[in-house]
Amino acid sequence: MGKVEQEAKGTLVYPRGLLNLEYTLSNGQMFRWRQTTDDWWDAVTGDRLIRIRKIDAGDASADTFEFYTYPGAPDEGVIRSFFRLDVDLESLYESWREEDQHLGELADRFRGLRIVAQKPEECLLSFMCSTANFIPRIMKAIAIISRTWGQPLEGPDGKAATHSFPGAETLAALDPFEVSDKTGLEWRAGNLVKVAAQLAAKPKDWLERVAQMDYATARGELLRIDGVGPKIADCVCLFAMAKDQAVPVDTHVWNLTRELYLPGLRGKSPTASGYAQVLAYYHTHFKKAGWAQQYLFYDHLLASREKSRRT
């Protein structure tokens, strides 16, 4: 990181403990991140590479972060928008503590976990790679897709530091079998190309216009895409469109909701009626239901990983 250290860095000061990079970037909501040397975190979103780390500035009331936003000069607006720093976590935590002891404890344990604002097209196409898949495999496949078919993104010294995720038009023109061979996505590669083709056929600003709709309407529009089910539609609504009512219900959320809140849920995976029950429960009980879901999901994910290591 020697040459990077010599460049002009941006500095962000934010209330103490309300932006935790590890919890935010590694909780399964996005797949284009890595932790580098010297505590730097890299995250690729659209055509920007964000490089950020927390430093010790001796302030007891605030955390200080150094950052870059490549290409170009450091842009604090990019950081604030990406990490959704306008959301007041303290008031959110207070509401959760009043409603649910377990969620209140998770707010303390994962303090500073935030939902980020990804680019809608990249988010949707990335989650097409996630169905019945493991996070490390998803990250590896998306890295291969980006390196093979994406555009170089300029980093330090004007050199290519990474690659953007390819757009729908690029992916729509690919052979699914080639994508599968290169990435190991198997049948998911066909779904990825199929969805990309449908997006490519729509007006270029279609997803941006969907993002301006209310949650129910936006979700309904996404579900019109062949190959997009409720879970992926809710992922896009929550992780790319700031629809904080969205609750992506995968097997983790299904199981933890049954264990903690709705023991009457039946089956090993969400049914249509069961999914609706989970949504209704979260909407009724939790402010910013999607954020609550992510804290519960992350806790369940870590517990599952620990259980796997012990067996």
Side-chain angles (χ1 to χ4, degrees):
M1 297 292 294
K3 292 183 179 180
V4 174
E5 295 287 0
Q6 297 172 14
E7 295 182 73
K9 296 186 287 285
T11 301
L12 170 74
V13 179
Y14 197 69
R16 190 170 187 83
L18 296 183
L19 170 57
N20 184 293
L21 298 174
E22 178 181 358
Y23 297 156
T24 296
L25 294 173
S26 65
N27 66 36
Q29 64 177 306
M30 70 174 296
F31 309 110
R32 301 283 330 264
W33 63 269
R34 68 188 180 103
Q35 188 175 18
T36 64
T37 57
D38 301 325
D39 298 321
W40 288 100
W41 289 81
D42 284 1
V44 182
T45 176
D47 60 358
R48 303 301 291 266
L49 166 62
I50 291 171
R51 178 165 289 165
I52 185 170
R53 69 177 176 181
K54 189 173 81 167
I55 60 173
D56 184 5
D59 188 340
S61 64
D63 290 324
T64 301
F65 299 86
E66 297 177 327
F67 68 87
Y68 303 90
T69 51
Y70 298 116
D75 186 340
E76 185 174 323
V78 170
I79 300 295
R80 288 187 171 276
S81 175
F82 178 71
F83 288 108
R84 296 191 60 191
L85 298 185
D86 59 312
V87 175
D88 180 2
L89 283 185
E90 289 287 22
S91 64
L92 187 58
Y93 292 161
E94 186 60 32
S95 73
W96 290 351
R97 293 186 187 101
E98 292 174 359
E99 181 62 42
D100 182 80
Q101 180 181 352
H102 178 64
L103 186 55
E105 291 171 353
L106 296 185
D108 294 332
R109 179 181 173 192
F110 301 126
R111 182 176 171 81
L113 187 162
R114 310 189 73 90
I115 300 295
V116 300
Q118 301 175 55
K119 301 302 181 184
E121 183 177 278
E122 180 177 0
C123 182
L124 172 54
L125 294 173
S126 294
F127 272 97
M128 293 310 303
C129 305
S130 72
T131 308
N133 209 348
F134 298 103
I135 290 176
R137 289 175 58 190
I138 302 167
M139 294 179 68
K140 180 179 179 181
I142 289 175
I144 293 171
I145 290 170
S146 301
R147 188 168 60 247
T148 306
W149 296 290
Q151 295 297 312
L153 292 182
E154 207 173 87
D157 302 325
K159 298 178 181 178
T162 186
H163 293 76
S164 64
F165 190 81
E169 290 185 0
T170 298
L171 292 174
L174 299 180
D175 179 348
F177 295 103
E178 180 185 4
V179 177
S180 177
D181 286 344
K182 286 183 179 293
T183 64
L185 283 175
E186 301 175 334
W187 52 270
R188 303 172 195 86
N191 285 347
L192 173 64
V193 172
K194 178 177 69 175
V195 169
Q198 293 172 76
L199 287 180
K202 294 181 179 294
K204 288 188 178 296
D205 66 344
W206 181 74
L207 277 171
E208 283 67 32
R209 287 191 280 116
V210 171
Q212 300 305 312
M213 300 173 182
D214 63 79
Y215 165 58
T217 306
R219 186 176 189 263
E221 287 296 311
L222 292 169
L223 288 172
R224 292 177 183 271
I225 301 173
D226 184 18
V228 174
K231 181 248 182 178
I232 290 179
D234 276 322
C235 283
V236 178
C237 283
L238 179 61
F239 303 138
M241 296 182 175
K243 311 297 183 191
D244 293 336
Q245 313 96 310
V247 179
V249 183
D250 68 353
T251 53
H252 283 287
V253 176
W254 178 255
N255 289 329
L256 73 86
T257 303
R258 179 169 52 194
E259 293 166 9
L260 295 172
Y261 306 119
L262 297 174
L265 293 176
R266 294 288 179 263
K268 294 183 178 180
S269 58
T271 61
S273 62
Y275 199 117
Q277 281 183 265
V278 174
L279 278 180
Y281 184 88
Y282 280 68
H283 288 170
T284 301
H285 290 83
F286 303 128
K287 181 180 179 181
K288 289 192 180 295
W291 290 61
Q293 169 273 152
Q294 199 65 20
Y295 280 70
L296 292 161
F297 167 86
Y298 192 41
D299 177 57
H300 197 269
L301 177 67
L302 294 179
S304 297
R305 288 175 178 171
E306 181 61 29
K307 183 178 179 180
S308 295
R309 281 194 288 267
R310 292 198 303 265
T311 57

